[in-house]
Amino acid sequence: MNSANNGAQYTPKTIAKDLLAGTIVFLVALPLCLGIALASGASAMSGLIAGIVGGIVIGFFSGSHTSVSGPAAGLTAIVAAQIAAFKTPENTQEEAFQGFLLAVVIAGALQVVMGLFKAGALSAFFPMSVIKGLLAAIGVILLLKQLPVLFGHWKDMESLPFVHAASPGKLDDGLVHEMHGTAETAHSAEHVHQIGEIFTHFYSSMWETFHYAEGFQWGAIIIGVFSLLFLIGWDRVKFLKNSLVPAPLIVVLAGVVLGIVLRPLGGGWALHDTQLVNVPVPERIQDFAAAIVFPDFSHLTNSTVYIAAITIAVVASLETLLNLEAVDKIDKKQRQSPPNRELFAQGIGNMTAGLFGGIPVTSVIIRGSVNVNAGSETKLSAIFHGMLLLICVLLMPQYLNMIPLSCLAAILLLTGYKLAHPSLFKKMWNEGRYQFMPFILTLLAIVMTDLLIGVSLGLVLSLLFILHANLASPLRKITEKHIEGDVLHIELPNEVTFLKRAALETALREAPAGSRVLLDARRTNYADPDILSLIKEFRTVIAPVRGVQLDVLGLEHQLKGYTTETVDFTRQEVRENLTPAQVIDILREGNKRYVEGHPLDRDLRQTLAMHSKKQQAFVALFSGIDSRTPGEILFDLDIGDAFTIRTPGNVIGERPLGGMEFAAIFGGVKVIVVLGHTNSLIIELAINRTISGDPVATAAGCVHLEPVLDQISAVIDAQEARRFSSLDQVEREGYKRKLSRLNVLRMTREIVAQSSTIRRLTEEGKLAVVGGLLDVDSGAIELMTSEAIGLNT
């Protein structure tokens, strides 16, 4: 994958694409900057400053050529709550915001440190259920806070943006009381932005909107409802949704036009100044400096600053990393953005935003996806979009003040709905309680209390689920059949922490007295000291008392003197004393482990070295040449356990018989398994040959395959074979399965009939010849012991 931090190639073609993409992103970002700032309880100017910084500053330092940063809807609740935390009876809203700006600067510094210390993997340590709960809670809060604004609840405008002293139309307490008649009905910003009181605020706002003439504005309602319906309809029309024309921009332009059209009607139809965006309009560009709010460094001794900074740094970093990954996935060039460098860039951006009066910024998926779909080639598009925002603020602020707040509320309502979409709740529910419960707890706790408490509760619940899963899920245990008794294999995972102590102790203590236990830690890279002490104690104290033989493989450095290099539970003298019936039991158990997906974890290299001097096999596997019949794997056997002989169709002759005799006399095997399988192509060739009477193998170029088909044809009834073509698929497979079984049993008899050596050994009870049929769909092998020769059961 290409890295996004490689040197970009700037050519006239790429620059033209970037300028076009940057323009389109600017058109999308402008209404979002305004709406998100107002929804956060900050001024419109602070949102524009954040957008400018996100484009120019972060765009310059970022290593991503796709991501675009700016104020994010995911931070609205956090920003509103943190601004409210700085509000006291002694200070003004602006003074509270200055304290908040200091927190943004410190948050940016924390992000810079995180980037330098390569904390780009931060998002991996937060459960997705908690992150989704956080974003859904923000969506719910946006819905509750913006719905009154959509319906023109201008009485609450005092609690939304604070407006700088230089701004026209600033609301002071006297004006608010004058507009509403009584002081009792005025809400303070501190009250509104406490997240736990959002429901109260929502109810009272909607009640007053529809019960007081002062709060009931037909103009705002018409603009807000039209904007919302337009946005919903736009998303439902595929070619409009996929077009490069941003719907929010059209909504804003339409809202401005409707506001102008409704103004002459007066009364409740005309928009009040407080229902419009309020950006400073200085006479000269130099006067903009007076409109910028700077952080108050006297708050450095205030603990609230550091709580707010940590909250903003963590949430903004999480949102950035998640959005960065999402945008990379839709990048047409599949470039990978460096997460650590992005954290560094975001930190520089937030420090800059905080120093010049902007709200926090993150990488934003909406801007990034628009940027990619608009055909951007490099990060120049992000920088150019920031420059356009700056030009807009400097040259056209009076036009920004014509934008109705109700149309911005519609944009944010739809954003909130997408964050808390009903399909998200359904998806989390379907993923089970371990996902749904932390998700819903995080959501409710954030809405009812605050973000830190909500996220903390979600993390605690997720941790409790992890602890429960570790305690409830047992270690992988496998019982292996041996002539001297069963062997219990306990396999340890890659990392064994103290959370697995209870499970390991239970597994060891459940081993029957006098049994043998193999603790397999060959794949374990780390074991907690508690685990090591438990193993030592069991081996030296408990195991001898109970007569348990404990062998440990792996952890040689941590358990020096307690481990074994190799373990052979089936010694040579034991193998020699195995009976055919015991070998068949071993084969059945091995196939059962294979089918269940629990084969033994073997060190094949060590086993090969252990058998390098002498073979100690106990079974000979005589199978066809089909690629789906690896006998040692299907029976979960080790190196040195089996001789393997293969011929097409399991047919016998001098060479395979010679191999079986060698395995029986010199190898000491106790069982010969004739292994056939279902869905056999060679059986089907034999059927077609019987039906047509033609040498089908020769016609296909397999001249030497005809003698093989001759032997298989001995079990085929010609009259039955002629009905083969009229059978359905299931019946055909059943008929081929029947012939495979008959062929295996015939070859079993022929082996004994044609080899006097094998016949003598079966008569003496030293060797058994048994047929087996593999079901290639399930992997299960049927051992036909009732038709076996030489098996004394």
Side-chain angles (χ1 to χ4, degrees), residues 181-204:
T182 61
E184 293 82 49
T185 59
H187 296 283
S188 71
E190 180 181 13
H191 172 78
V192 172
H193 291 302
Q194 291 297 322
I195 298 180
E197 298 174 348
I198 285 180
F199 282 110
T200 303
H201 164 61
F202 171 74
Y203 174 78
S204 63

Side-chain angles (χ1 to χ4, degrees), residues 308-472:
I310 293 171
T311 303
I312 294 168
V314 171
V315 177
S317 298
L318 278 174
E319 186 163 351
T320 287
L321 293 171
L322 292 172
N323 289 333
L324 193 69
E325 182 180 358
V327 175
D328 279 348
K329 288 180 179 178
I330 62 174
D331 180 17
K332 296 178 176 63
K333 295 185 177 181
Q334 287 298 293
R335 292 167 290 189
Q336 187 176 24
S337 301
N340 297 315
R341 180 172 170 180
E342 187 65 26
L343 283 182
F344 178 84
Q346 294 289 330
I348 297 294
N350 276 319
M351 291 176 68
T352 306
L355 287 171
F356 292 96
I359 57 177
V361 293
T362 74
S363 171
V364 184
I365 184 62
I366 296 175
R367 291 172 174 83
S369 59
V370 169
N371 190 39
V372 171
N373 292 329
S376 71
E377 293 286 335
T378 70
K379 62 183 183 180
L380 178 62
S381 60
I383 297 172
F384 185 64
H385 117 276
M387 294 172 64
L388 289 177
L389 285 173
L390 177 60
I391 294 170
C392 183
V393 170
L394 293 176
L395 302 181
M396 297 183 294
Q398 65 274 20
Y399 299 112
L400 297 179
N401 290 338
M402 299 172 67
I403 300 174
L405 294 179
S406 55
C407 69
L408 296 180
I411 296 171
L412 291 169
L413 274 172
L414 197 60
T415 302
Y417 177 74
K418 290 178 179 178
L419 287 173
H421 198 278
S423 63
L424 174 63
F425 291 80
K426 182 179 179 181
K427 178 184 177 184
M428 298 305 294
W429 175 266
N430 291 337
E431 289 181 0
R433 61 177 181 171
Y434 284 3
Q435 291 293 310
F436 182 76
M437 291 180 67
F439 163 77
I440 200 68
L441 176 63
T442 303
L443 187 155
L444 294 175
I446 289 175
V447 173
M448 303 306 297
T449 59
D450 64 40
L451 183 133
L452 282 180
I453 293 176
V455 171
S456 298
L457 288 175
L459 288 173
V460 169
L461 183 58
S462 296
L463 180 60
L464 289 175
F465 279 141
I466 293 172
L467 291 172
H468 178 267
N470 271 275
L471 294 174

Side-chain angles (χ1 to χ4, degrees), residues 42-46 93-95 97-98 101 161-171 278-281 287-294 357:
S43 68
M45 178 60 78
S46 67
Q93 181 81 347
E94 181 176 329
E95 290 171 340
F97 189 69
Q98 288 178 309
L101 290 178
F162 84 87
V163 187
H164 190 268
S167 305
K170 175 191 174 185
L171 289 179
N278 199 339
V279 176
V281 186
D287 294 339
F288 268 104
I292 295 176
V293 182
F294 298 99

